[in-house]
């Protein structure tokens, strides 16, 4: 028994031309069904704008504080992408726990660094800079040409 007989039927039962038409109809119906009934992928939404975030860097020396200057370009260390520029920095003595209360450290500082750069804020308030989603509490390793440190995000726009 051959695959196609002398009358053009597949295995002697199905006409080959009819089979091609049926497969084409199923393919068109499947594409239509997939296109119209599958959930649509939501496009990345949000508005490109200048974004400011605040990163807290804890328990650092005065030389580390002095090494970062307002206007320095800040990069995200792991991805080596530019987040923006330092627009503000504030340092204060780190609190040191005592027996009954906290007292300011004489050697270590906490520094709050405000970074401004291009970003995207989505309608639900999610913030991203350089393709990195910024979340409050997110650990962030920062660096410039001559400075590096790690902290965590404490301030986001609108929050």
């Amino acid at each position: 028994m051959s695959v196609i007989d002398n009358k053009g039927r597949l295995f002697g039962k199905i006409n080959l031309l009819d089979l091609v038409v049926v497969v084409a109809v199923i393919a068109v119906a499947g594409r239509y069904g997939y296109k119209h009934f599958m959930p649509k992928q939501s496009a990345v939404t949000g508005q490109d704008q200048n974004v400011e975030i605040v990163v807290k860097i804890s328990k650092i020396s005065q030389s580390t504080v002095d090494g970062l200057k307002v206007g320095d370009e800040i990069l995200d260390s792991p991805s080596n992408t530019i987040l923006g520029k330092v627009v503000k920095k504030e340092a204060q003595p780190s609190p040191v726990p005592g027996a009954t209360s906290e007292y300011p450290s004489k050697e270590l500082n906490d520094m709050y660094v405000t970074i401004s750069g291009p970003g995207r804020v989505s309608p639900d308030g999610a913030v991203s800079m350089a393709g990195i989603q910024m979340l409050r509490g997110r650990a962030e390793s920062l660096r410039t040409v001559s400075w590096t440190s790690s902290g965590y995000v404490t301030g986001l726009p609108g929050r």
Side-chain angles (χ1 to χ4, degrees):
M1 182 171 153
S2 66
V3 176
I4 298 175
D5 66 6
N6 60 355
K7 293 183 180 178
R9 293 182 295 190
L10 194 60
F11 299 111
K13 297 183 182 200
I14 301 170
N15 187 326
L16 195 56
L17 185 59
D18 291 342
L19 179 65
V20 169
V21 170
V22 168
V23 168
V25 168
I26 290 172
V28 169
R31 180 161 194 246
Y32 174 82
Y34 179 80
K35 184 176 179 181
H36 291 288
F37 297 114
M38 291 301 291
K40 290 189 174 30
Q41 298 253 344
S42 60
V44 175
T45 59
Q47 185 173 1
D48 290 333
Q49 60 188 32
N50 199 45
V51 175
E52 283 190 357
I53 63 166
V54 178
V55 177
K56 179 182 181 185
I57 303 169
S58 300
K59 297 184 177 27
I60 55 175
S61 67
Q62 187 60 43
S63 63
T64 304
V65 172
D66 295 339
L68 184 66
K69 307 283 186 235
V70 172
D72 283 352
E73 191 171 66
I74 289 281
L75 288 87
D76 174 70
S77 284
S79 65
N80 204 31
T81 56
I82 298 170
L83 294 177
K85 293 192 181 235
V86 176
V87 293
K88 182 179 172 185
K89 73 173 190 174
E90 296 176 29
Q92 57 193 32
S94 295
V96 177
T100 57
S101 64
E102 292 182 343
Y103 61 93
S105 172
K106 294 178 181 171
E107 298 171 3
L108 299 176
N109 298 289
D110 290 348
M111 181 168 62
Y112 292 87
V113 180
T114 304
I115 302 167
S116 179
R120 177 169 284 194
V121 180
S122 70
D124 64 357
V127 177
S128 65
M129 292 178 80
I132 302 167
Q133 186 173 12
M134 295 294 162
L135 301 168
R136 182 165 285 143
R138 178 187 191 280
E140 190 61 49
S141 293
L142 304 172
R143 74 175 181 86
T144 66
V145 173
S146 60
W147 178 91
T148 186
S149 196
S150 297
Y152 58 92
V153 177
T154 60
L156 295 169
R159 295 183 180 185

